Amino acid sequence: MSLMTRIFFAFALLVSLSVPVMAGDTLQQAKKKGVLVVGVRNLMPPFGFVDQKHMTYIGYDVDFATAIANRLGIKLELRTSSKPLIPLLQNGDIDLIAGAMTKTAKRQQQIDFSHGYFLTGQKFLAKKGKIKTLKDLEGQKIGTGRNSSSEQNLKHVLPGANILTFPGYREAFRSLSLGAVVAISTDEPLLAGLLVSDADKAQYEIPDISISEEVYGLGIRKNDKLFLDLINQTL
């Protein structure tokens, strides 16, 4: 075998080892492994958060993931990450995203989505009486999640505002409590979830100001039709 041939085969082997799970393989691979690996969020009540009593993940998204694993008759493994979940899905580190994820055109270029399972809108959380109309937020500091659809919506609707981004919404809420931002913004149920266990929740409100319509879906790799059909049937 010539040197060039050996180099070619070595390169081909390296590429084959680095290629993520191919579309259409998820169902078969999950059954073969006997486990479905699902990426969830652990700081997004009521969709994904930690039950402090039992130290387990709970929430709507966890319930969906559990139902899908049960339908397959295999174990469920939940993973959380502070990093974006889409690259983890594309690389094959997880099989499914269940993370209160809005179905956006940009994301649909990267992954496929299940049927929508929750419809909401993006709103604001602020100290009571501070925000009455959208104009009250012009030029103000507003906190939201980093690399989120909420961040993009704010930039579009309030181009003159100072948008501060945080790794998670609890960090954004903490910034609001310290007065570093006038309001925080994301989907309404996530804002409500932040207030549920807060001792000072009476000081805050979610004004009736909506700047978007958000539809959540479960995320899978592109062109994985068999898996997508099973997910939609389960939902």
Side-chain angles (χ1 to χ4, degrees):
M1 184 183 294
S2 69
L3 176 61
M4 289 303 297
T5 302
R6 289 198 298 270
I7 291 174
F8 171 79
F9 278 111
F11 176 75
L13 177 61
L14 179 62
V15 170
S16 68
L17 292 174
S18 63
V19 171
V21 176
M22 296 298 291
D25 286 350
T26 304
L27 201 57
Q28 180 181 353
Q29 291 296 325
K31 287 182 178 180
K32 185 176 180 180
K33 293 184 300 182
V35 60
L36 180 69
V37 184
V38 180
V40 298
R41 295 301 189 189
N42 63 349
L43 294 174
M44 283 190 173
F47 294 91
F49 58 107
V50 177
D51 179 344
Q52 296 296 331
K53 181 177 180 181
H54 301 99
M55 296 308 294
T56 56
Y57 295 124
I58 58 174
Y60 294 142
D61 282 327
V62 176
D63 292 342
F64 291 135
T66 301
I68 293 167
N70 288 343
R71 190 181 181 97
L72 287 169
I74 59 178
K75 295 179 180 180
L76 172 66
E77 180 181 330
L78 299 175
R79 291 187 187 176
T80 64
S81 174
S82 59
K83 299 178 181 179
L85 292 175
I86 288 180
L88 298 182
L89 177 68
Q90 293 174 321
N91 292 337
D93 295 326
I94 58 177
D95 301 316
L96 174 71
I97 297 175
M101 182 175 284
T102 300
K103 299 168 69 171
T104 67
K106 182 178 179 180
R107 287 171 178 161
Q108 287 174 330
Q109 293 176 355
Q110 301 173 291
I111 63 174
D112 284 338
F113 281 95
S114 70
H115 292 326
Y117 64 84
F118 196 86
L119 174 64
T120 184
Q122 182 174 338
K123 292 191 173 184
F124 298 88
L125 174 62
K127 291 289 184 68
K128 281 188 174 179
K130 289 287 186 180
I131 307 299
K132 291 182 172 57
T133 68
L134 202 57
K135 287 186 177 181
D136 295 331
L137 290 163
E138 292 179 357
Q140 300 289 347
K141 291 181 179 179
I142 305 172
T144 192
R146 189 167 299 147
N147 299 318
S148 64
S149 58
S150 297
E151 179 186 356
Q152 299 307 314
N153 291 338
L154 286 171
K155 289 179 178 179
H156 176 71
V157 176
L158 292 165
N162 185 0
I163 311 302
L164 304 182
T165 61
F166 298 85
Y169 291 106
R170 288 199 180 278
E171 291 91 340
F173 186 35
R174 191 175 303 116
S175 180
L176 174 63
S177 68
L178 295 173
V181 295
V182 169
I184 62 174
S185 182
T186 188
D187 303 339
E188 184 176 15
L190 302 183
L191 295 176
L194 291 171
L195 288 179
V196 168
S197 58
D198 191 80
D200 298 320
K201 60 185 176 182
Q203 298 181 21
Y204 302 92
E205 65 179 350
I206 302 173
D208 190 20
I209 304 170
S210 183
I211 63 171
S212 74
E213 186 177 88
E214 309 289 324
V215 180
Y216 294 169
L218 303 177
I220 67 169
R221 283 180 282 275
K222 295 289 289 184
N223 305 316
D224 203 342
K225 187 178 185 305
L226 289 177
F227 191 38
L228 180 60
D229 288 345
L230 178 132
I231 291 171
N232 285 333
Q233 290 165 11
T234 305
L235 288 176

